[in-house]
Amino acid sequence: MKEPAFTGHREVFRSLEQWRGSGRLPHALIFLGPDGIGKQLVARHLAAALLCESKEAPCGDCRSCHLIQEGRHPDLWNLEPDNGRIKIDQIREVKKAMAMPPLVSRVRVVLLAEAHALNPAAANALLKTLEEPPPETYFLLVSHAAGWVPRTILSRCQKIRFSPLSQEELTQILGKQGKTISTRILRLAQGSVRWAL
């Protein structure tokens, strides 16, 4: 997997890269850790690497990478909360699409950026899919509130734990955005870019 443009979480990145490179990446991963530390960035980078057509994935140049950049890759399902909840109709739509093979890439990726927003019916429908995963499909779940994610879902996913960013990493990230933050605010942010901002 190509070195990511984001800062931090290098150990997590290396583990994911080893799994992907050896063909041992679990079909369902859940990224857990505090809010605003980059879990979604890592999930999106992994999704792009899985869908990319190049060995140096994500290359940024192939058809798949261009479709991801344009937000219209047919094999990448981004499930966002609707009025604060991920609903069963969204899961049913994904399941229906999974009856067909991937359209552009060799695999398909389902990304749930806020897995804690699954309503009970959606969680049950997703659980059935995770128990009998369709071929060529990866589920990447992200949550800063593991206690709100049903235990049955957690038990079907490989848990990837993220630590807060260091003050140096926060300073570097915020510096790239042209922001200078005081040491006091950096301490209060507890490793979260979102809290620092």
Side-chain angles (χ1 to χ4, degrees):
M1 197 161 29
K2 193 174 173 184
E3 196 69 11
F6 52 80
T7 301
H9 310 303
R10 285 298 183 252
E11 283 181 29
V12 169
F13 173 77
R14 276 192 287 271
S15 296
L16 293 170
E17 184 178 16
Q18 285 171 350
W19 281 344
R20 192 184 73 84
S22 65
R24 293 184 296 116
L25 188 73
H27 77 276
L29 300 164
I30 185 161
F31 296 175
L32 302 168
D35 191 25
I37 61 167
K39 299 180 303 298
Q40 279 192 45
L41 282 175
V42 176
R44 290 182 193 286
H45 185 83
L46 177 58
L50 287 165
L51 295 168
C52 180
E53 296 156 27
S54 167
K55 282 186 180 176
E56 281 296 304
C59 68
D61 294 321
C62 69
R63 181 180 174 208
S64 280
C65 286
H66 285 297
L67 287 168
I68 289 168
Q69 289 157 15
E70 293 162 11
R72 55 188 193 92
H73 198 300
D75 300 321
L76 175 60
W77 287 79
N78 243 323
L79 298 187
E80 301 278 345
D82 175 16
N83 288 326
R85 302 298 275 171
I86 294 172
K87 299 173 180 168
I88 190 166
D89 288 345
Q90 293 169 274
I91 303 295
R92 281 182 181 146
E93 200 175 325
V94 170
K95 287 174 87 167
K96 202 184 296 176
M98 285 173 192
M100 304 293 287
L103 296 171
V104 173
S105 300
R106 291 184 312 275
V107 301
R108 132 182 62 225
V109 178
V110 180
L111 180 61
L112 283 87
E114 295 183 48
H116 49 270
L118 283 160
N119 73 17
N124 284 336
L126 178 62
L127 179 63
K128 286 176 185 148
T129 306
L130 294 178
E131 285 171 339
E132 296 174 21
E136 304 155 334
T137 304
Y138 292 93
F139 294 86
L140 307 180
L141 287 69
V142 180
S143 180
H144 63 266
W148 294 354
V149 180
R151 283 186 197 167
T152 48
I153 298 286
L154 286 173
S155 71
R156 296 292 184 278
C157 299
Q158 174 72 47
K159 296 172 195 67
I160 309 292
R161 301 201 183 272
F162 284 69
S163 301
L165 296 162
S166 68
Q167 287 191 18
E168 296 78 38
E169 289 167 339
L170 271 182
T171 304
Q172 192 180 339
I173 292 165
L174 295 165
K176 284 179 186 170
Q177 297 178 19
K179 308 228 183 282
T180 308
I181 306 282
S182 72
T183 308
R184 179 174 171 273
I185 288 178
L186 285 173
R187 272 198 316 271
L188 290 170
Q190 297 177 29
S192 167
V193 175
R194 189 166 295 142
W195 293 358
L197 290 169

